[in-house]
Amino acid sequence: SLYYALLDTETGSLSYVCAGHPYPLLRRAGGEILELGSASLPLGMRVDLELHEETVDLEKGDLLVLYSDGIPEAVDAHDEAFGFERLRTALEPGGTAQEVHDRLLAEVDGFTRSRALEDDRSLVVLRRLNGS
């Protein structure tokens, strides 16, 4: 899978292409949560794969959460997945980038408890501090 994005740090403009990767979440400063992506197969699945570039503007206080599939696919002792809804719920309160990062990982760890990792877990949280 691939998620490729270019962020203009001066304007907050984020241009991105998604190919089979979990959609990053954008939590607006006002609390609205958006998925940043559109349906596409992963790279290499078809020779004629069509990718669509999209653009969104990050505004002051917005949080961008990028993660690998190991976060929503983490399972508990009953083989239930953490899922995208729990991820969104953990993002709802907002906070600083560090607070959101730590809260999301704590939620996943609390959900899976002592179960061994079955997939990588990558997580990056960005917050725009200046802008409109």
Side-chain angles (χ1 to χ4, degrees):
S1 71
L2 169 82
Y3 191 85
Y4 181 80
L6 294 173
L7 174 62
D8 183 328
T9 57
E10 294 292 321
T11 66
S13 178
L14 179 75
S15 297
Y16 58 91
V17 172
C18 186
H21 193 76
Y23 302 156
L25 298 174
L26 173 61
R27 185 195 182 277
R28 294 287 191 191
E32 179 184 17
I33 298 175
L34 308 170
E35 292 182 344
L36 301 184
S38 57
S40 174
L41 294 172
L43 295 177
M45 296 293 288
R46 289 191 180 154
V47 174
D48 61 345
L49 183 64
E50 287 188 40
L51 299 176
H52 303 281
E53 180 181 350
E54 298 180 59
T55 302
V56 68
D57 290 326
L58 302 184
E59 299 168 1
K60 184 178 181 179
D62 286 354
L63 288 159
L64 178 63
V65 179
L66 302 115
Y67 55 93
S68 65
D69 61 353
I71 300 283
E73 293 176 3
V75 294
D76 65 7
H78 307 288
D79 289 327
E80 180 182 349
F82 183 74
F84 295 101
E85 223 22 69
R86 284 186 182 90
L87 181 62
R88 288 176 71 98
T89 299
L91 178 58
E92 285 175 358
T96 67
Q98 189 67 57
E99 290 168 345
V100 170
H101 177 274
D102 295 348
R103 181 173 56 249
L104 292 176
L105 287 182
E107 290 286 331
V108 173
D109 288 344
F111 179 79
T112 60
R113 303 208 192 261
S114 60
R115 187 161 178 162
L117 290 176
E118 296 179 13
D119 196 356
D120 70 292
R121 292 185 192 166
S122 300
L123 176 65
V124 176
V125 180
L126 305 171
R127 182 167 183 237
R128 182 141 192 230
L129 300 176
N130 60 3
S132 54

